[in-house]
Amino acid sequence: MQALKKISAYWWCQIAGWGANLLVNVFFSWTFRGEITTLFLWRVLILTTLGLVLTHLMRAVLLRLNVLQKSFEKQAVYFVAITASVSFLLAFLQQMCYSKFNLYEPNEIKFSFTSRLIGNTFNSFVTLLVWNLIYFIYHYVERVRNQQIESLKAESLIRDLQLQTIKSHINPHFIFNSLNSIRALVDENPSRARTAITELSNILRSSMQAEKAETVPFEKELNIVKDYLALEQMRFEERLKVKFDIDEDTLDQPVPPMMLQTLVENAIKHGISKNIAGGEVQIVSRFNNFHHVLIVRNTGKLNGSYNNGGFGVSSTMDRLKLMFGDKASFVLKNTHDTQVEAIVQMPVNV
């Protein structure tokens, strides 16, 4: 059994192919002649042995000349030329063996050696052409399959690198903005600054855990956002009002980590902080048509930097495309003159 396992797939195909050719010859001899003669068995065994040896040598020539690496037109020329050459060699050796051991059929004796050689060369050419076509098709399919696998691996690698790049941008971006908020409190209200530092440590702990997964439960993401908003309310005080409209059934839905926090951060940076009177941030989570819909509304108005150049907008669009493809969408729009709405739709995970 161990010896059989060491036989390569190529040799199994060789044995199976030439074995099948032998059986076909035996079948037709029995069908049309009604008997299997010793003469016939010797002839078919010689043909099978020569076929095995010469096709193996032909394969070595194909590999040596790198035929499979050439253009399709050159492959066709090489295959025909090599097939014709080996067919002639097979027919010649076949005739030499028949002459040496006197294995000619009675009706073949009347033909000259040359005539028999030409006839056997033609028959051998058909057989070897089928062998080469199978060999070519197998390697063509195998090459295409390997190319597809390599392409998928490359796409997967690029996707992973892009996701990691986006994540590496999100966390420093968030940290720097949070530290700026704390810095604004240090001189004005030290006690509140200490509370803000505690809030920041909770957020950082959560964000570090979020780095370990491509998605996190929405409930966990929402808790990070609540910590972030508590930190920002230290800075904005009564200028920042927060409202939540959360369908509890959505809490276990997977979402990209730090995505909602980035959108809320964008809402405060481009909306609330630009308004002297401050404003309101509202977070909505619900199901709609087999999609998990997240909405971040804030007081403000869209402008060029908010809509096109903001990191939160570009990172959200990139992450949704990478993770969900065309199944997810992101829209940023004015609902009226004093309110901006960011809407994320992701496929429901059932």
Side-chain angles (χ1 to χ4, degrees):
M1 290 299 294
Q2 291 297 325
L4 291 177
K5 290 181 180 179
K6 293 180 180 179
I7 299 176
S8 66
Y10 161 75
W11 278 111
W12 278 120
C13 290
Q14 278 281 72
I15 294 169
W18 285 105
N21 183 70
L22 185 149
L23 292 175
V24 167
N25 279 293
V26 170
F27 172 77
F28 280 110
S29 178
W30 177 265
T31 301
F32 293 107
R33 296 183 179 184
E35 62 176 347
I36 305 297
T37 65
T38 303
L39 175 66
F40 170 79
L41 286 177
W42 276 112
R43 285 167 62 96
V44 78
L45 284 173
I46 288 172
L47 174 62
T48 301
T49 303
L50 289 174
L52 269 171
V53 173
L54 291 180
T55 50
H56 181 64
L57 291 175
M58 183 168 61
R59 172 177 176 263
V61 172
L62 292 172
L63 294 175
R64 179 73 175 178
L65 297 177
N66 289 321
V67 175
L68 293 172
Q69 309 305 320
K70 301 182 185 298
S71 65
F72 180 79
E73 292 78 7
K74 289 185 177 180
Q75 285 186 39
V77 173
Y78 272 98
F79 272 120
V80 171
I82 293 173
T83 302
S85 300
V86 177
S87 298
F88 176 81
L89 181 59
L90 174 59
F92 178 79
L93 293 175
Q94 194 177 354
Q95 291 303 308
M96 292 297 292
C97 289
Y98 291 174
S99 297
K100 176 71 174 178
F101 301 107
N102 193 24
L103 296 176
Y104 285 116
E105 296 279 0
N107 62 341
E108 291 179 326
I109 298 175
K110 60 183 178 179
F111 295 103
S112 66
F113 181 88
T114 303
S115 298
R116 292 192 295 266
L117 180 61
I118 293 173
N120 283 329
T121 298
F122 177 78
N123 292 333
S124 299
F125 182 84
V126 173
T127 302
L128 295 183
L129 185 62
V130 172
W131 190 98
N132 268 326
L133 286 174
I134 294 172
Y135 183 78
F136 172 78
I137 292 171
Y138 170 80
H139 281 280
Y140 176 78
V141 172
E142 188 72 9
R143 184 166 64 250
V144 170
R145 188 178 71 86
N146 289 336
Q147 288 174 348
Q148 289 176 338
I149 292 173
E150 292 301 319
S151 177
L152 289 173
K153 285 182 179 178
E155 289 178 6
S156 177
L157 178 61
I158 292 172
R159 181 177 179 273
D160 290 342
L161 289 174
Q162 286 176 318
L163 284 172
Q164 292 300 322
T165 300
I166 291 170
K167 283 185 178 182
S168 69
H169 282 144
I170 290 174
N171 285 340
H173 185 76
F174 162 67
I175 293 169
F176 294 147
N177 279 280
S178 298
L179 289 174
N180 285 333
S181 299
I182 294 172
R183 183 182 63 183
L185 294 172
V186 170
D187 295 328
E188 179 183 339
N189 195 326
S191 63
R192 288 190 177 182
R194 287 192 292 271
T195 304
I197 291 172
T198 302
E199 294 285 350
L200 178 59
S201 68
N202 293 334
I203 298 169
L204 292 178
R205 185 181 300 110
S206 298
S207 65
M208 288 173 66
Q209 293 173 351
E211 283 288 332
K212 299 176 182 178
E214 300 299 344
T215 61
V216 295
F218 174 63
E219 183 175 16
K220 189 171 184 178
E221 177 75 359
L222 185 62
N223 289 335
I224 296 175
V225 170
K226 287 180 178 179
D227 286 338
Y228 172 77
L229 287 171
L231 177 62
E232 289 293 68
Q233 282 181 314
M234 290 285 187
R235 179 161 65 101
F236 287 98
E237 297 180 337
E238 68 278 358
R239 291 178 59 210
L240 174 60
K241 297 178 178 62
V242 179
K243 288 181 63 177
F244 293 96
D245 181 6
I246 307 297
D247 182 345
E248 291 188 358
D249 291 337
T250 65
L251 292 177
D252 61 347
Q253 286 296 305
V255 297
M258 306 301 292
M259 183 186 72
L260 180 61
Q261 184 275 330
T262 306
L263 292 177
V264 172
E265 182 181 349
N266 238 32
I268 292 175
K269 178 181 177 182
H270 296 286
I272 307 304
S273 65
K274 303 293 184 182
N275 194 331
I276 297 176
E280 180 180 271
V281 173
Q282 182 182 7
I283 299 172
V284 179
S285 176
R286 62 171 182 250
F287 290 125
N288 183 31
N289 293 330
F290 302 103
H291 280 79
H292 179 199
V293 181
L294 290 177
I295 303 174
V296 177
R297 298 190 182 102
N298 66 273
T299 303
K301 187 174 182 180
L302 286 179
N303 54 53
S305 62
Y306 194 148
N307 194 18
N308 299 320
F311 176 80
V313 173
S314 62
S315 69
T316 300
M317 294 175 65
D318 289 342
R319 297 180 79 191
L320 289 174
K321 183 174 180 60
L322 287 170
M323 299 184 73
F324 302 108
D326 296 333
K327 296 179 181 179
S329 65
F330 174 69
V331 177
L332 184 65
K333 63 181 181 179
N334 283 313
T335 54
H336 48 74
D337 288 342
T338 60
Q339 190 178 71
V340 176
E341 192 173 72
I343 306 173
V344 174
Q345 293 194 73
M346 296 167 287
V348 173
N349 184 39
V350 293

